[in-house]
Amino acid sequence: MSSVPVLASPVLPPLSLYIHIPWCVQKCPYCDFNSHGLDRLAGQAMPEQAYVQALLADLDQDLHWVQDRPLQSIFFGGGTPSLFSPEAIAEILRGVEARIPFVEQIEITLEANPGTVEQARFEGYRQAGVNRLSIGVQSFDPAQLKRLGRIHNNQDAIRAAESARQAGFNRFNLDLMHGLPEQTEAQALADLQQAIDLQPDHLSWYQLTLEPNTPFYQAPPPLPDDDALWQIQQAGQALIARAGYQQYEVSAYALNGSQARHNLNYWQFGDYLGIGAGAHGKLTAISESGALEIIRTTKHRHPKQYLPAVQYRNALTQVEPDELALEFFMNVLRLRQGVPEALYKQRTGQDLDQVAPILTRLQQLGLLQTGTGQLCTTEEGFIYLNAVLEAFLEA
């Protein structure tokens, strides 16, 4: 990688911003995200104001990547961003906009947990500039919530969705998991139906997986077998479709026009800055030789190292040319409709002919569509997406 990339704005993808808030009330046993329970602060207050200032200082060090691009979207993830006060969120957004212009109608999403927020705080987030919420419900079943280590109950979850709408959020996502310990098909569908009854414009519905370095991985709970998981998946998707939601990504469903623009930018291999403890970024540059480069950034993971850091970036890595195809297709093929073929060269700098043998083989196997001008899986390829991506890994 050249030491000082030369950026050229005419070919750069759209730009988004991810802001990581690393604290939560307590760590859930299935969670492998970079989150830190407040119970581990040993009675100390969460350093909200210090973290706000660190975030803006972090952003200052990344401004050279912006190259006159406005922000298309902002996403506050965690952890539990709703632990931060509306005043802190407003200060962050003011600071960001003072540094990088926003497009008109920018999408600004904040993750919220039902156990940490109430209507007055939702209204404050709305006034701060947040215009979309993602509410981490996971389940409406009291027994499952307890097993998952969630601190809210089912009524909290229902009230959170109702409060979001009352606060003026026309756009909000409900996050749900299936394949929970000993979950039956009927229980999974009851969770989905309750979510649908709350009329969000977007649903995230994904299977619980046991991730390394989590309590669930160390002591696995009894999960449904593969046949039961398949039945839950099929029945759940049918229920979601009957309710008018369209599946546009592996685990994302939206009413017409309500796709999450921030996540679409990820899946279309767009660029995003990442600020905050452990945040990742993906950025495009043009080297001094004129070659396109994809750069991955990461920040100090633990708040104790992040807050006092003079340099917030602790890794800057170029994606190697022979890894670009996998990186690109790993994202875009998650989209049900795929992307135009021309996007491959626009986003990677490589000719599509370089991966033509792989595409031809996958088409012959009935896993990729042909003759559409789109890079898109077939129905079978979408079901067996991991097998599709392995073809790029083996190349």
Side-chain angles (χ1 to χ4, degrees), residues 199-251:
Q199 301 180 319
D201 70 323
H202 192 284
L203 285 170
S204 296
W205 190 60
Y206 50 91
Q207 183 181 323
L208 170 67
T209 56
L210 304 184
E211 302 289 352
N213 303 315
T214 65
F216 268 15
Y217 188 85
Q218 301 300 325
L223 301 179
D225 61 27
D226 288 345
D227 288 340
L229 289 171
W230 177 250
Q231 291 299 321
I232 288 172
Q233 182 76 24
Q234 294 299 102
Q237 288 184 336
L239 175 59
I240 292 171
R242 288 195 299 271
Y245 294 85
Q246 297 177 344
Q247 183 182 21
Y248 69 97
E249 190 267 343
V250 169
S251 58

Side-chain angles (χ1 to χ4, degrees), residues 114-250:
T116 60
V117 295
E118 35 74 35
Q119 185 177 346
R121 181 159 278 200
F122 278 153
E123 291 171 350
Y125 295 139
R126 185 75 177 142
Q127 292 170 7
V130 176
N131 54 28
R132 183 175 181 271
L133 293 177
S134 183
I135 303 173
V137 172
Q138 311 311 350
S139 177
F140 291 94
D141 185 313
Q144 292 289 5
L145 290 171
K146 185 175 181 179
R147 296 182 85 165
L148 293 173
R150 306 298 289 174
I151 62 172
H152 68 272
N153 59 41
N154 58 342
Q155 291 304 307
D156 291 332
I158 293 169
R159 280 193 295 270
E162 293 170 344
S163 294
R165 183 169 284 106
Q166 290 168 11
F169 286 98
N170 297 319
R171 299 191 63 205
F172 67 91
N173 170 65
L174 294 182
D175 231 16
L176 284 175
M177 293 193 296
H178 61 88
L180 303 180
E182 299 181 304
Q183 187 180 49
T184 66
E185 179 182 326
Q187 290 169 337
L189 295 182
D191 265 354
L192 264 180
Q193 187 61 60
Q194 176 63 81
I196 290 167
D197 289 346
L198 293 169
Q199 301 180 319
D201 70 323
H202 192 284
L203 285 170
S204 296
W205 190 60
Y206 50 91
Q207 183 181 323
L208 170 67
T209 56
L210 304 184
E211 302 289 352
N213 303 315
T214 65
F216 268 15
Y217 188 85
Q218 301 300 325
L223 301 179
D225 61 27
D226 288 345
D227 288 340
L229 289 171
W230 177 250
Q231 291 299 321
I232 288 172
Q233 182 76 24
Q234 294 299 102
Q237 288 184 336
L239 175 59
I240 292 171
R242 288 195 299 271
Y245 294 85
Q246 297 177 344
Q247 183 182 21
Y248 69 97
E249 190 267 343
V250 169

Side-chain angles (χ1 to χ4, degrees), residues 187-352:
Q187 290 169 337
L189 295 182
D191 265 354
L192 264 180
Q193 187 61 60
Q194 176 63 81
I196 290 167
D197 289 346
L198 293 169
Q199 301 180 319
D201 70 323
H202 192 284
L203 285 170
S204 296
W205 190 60
Y206 50 91
Q207 183 181 323
L208 170 67
T209 56
L210 304 184
E211 302 289 352
N213 303 315
T214 65
F216 268 15
Y217 188 85
Q218 301 300 325
L223 301 179
D225 61 27
D226 288 345
D227 288 340
L229 289 171
W230 177 250
Q231 291 299 321
I232 288 172
Q233 182 76 24
Q234 294 299 102
Q237 288 184 336
L239 175 59
I240 292 171
R242 288 195 299 271
Y245 294 85
Q246 297 177 344
Q247 183 182 21
Y248 69 97
E249 190 267 343
V250 169
S251 58
Y253 307 78
L255 299 178
N256 288 336
S258 295
Q259 293 90 344
R261 297 204 301 270
H262 186 85
N263 288 343
L264 276 176
N265 192 42
Y266 289 161
W267 298 321
Q268 291 168 349
F269 215 49
D271 277 2
Y272 55 94
L273 296 162
I275 60 173
H280 291 251
K282 176 259 172 185
L283 298 151
T284 306
I286 303 297
S287 72
E288 293 174 340
S289 66
L292 188 147
E293 296 177 343
I294 304 299
I295 309 299
R296 296 281 184 190
T297 65
T298 62
K299 307 300 169 71
H300 290 295
R301 180 176 175 84
H302 199 285
K304 288 183 178 179
Q305 282 74 53
Y306 177 83
L307 278 168
V310 175
Q311 295 292 326
Y312 291 95
R313 182 184 300 112
N314 69 351
L316 180 63
T317 308
Q318 180 183 345
V319 179
E320 295 299 326
D322 60 356
E323 297 173 341
L324 275 173
L326 176 62
E327 288 262 348
F328 178 85
F329 285 102
M330 189 167 55
N331 284 277
V332 303
L333 293 184
R334 290 179 63 92
L335 293 170
R336 201 73 198 243
Q337 301 301 318
V339 295
E341 290 180 353
L343 196 69
Y344 183 74
K345 185 164 187 176
Q346 292 171 18
R347 295 288 194 261
T348 68
Q350 297 180 350
D351 289 326
L352 195 59

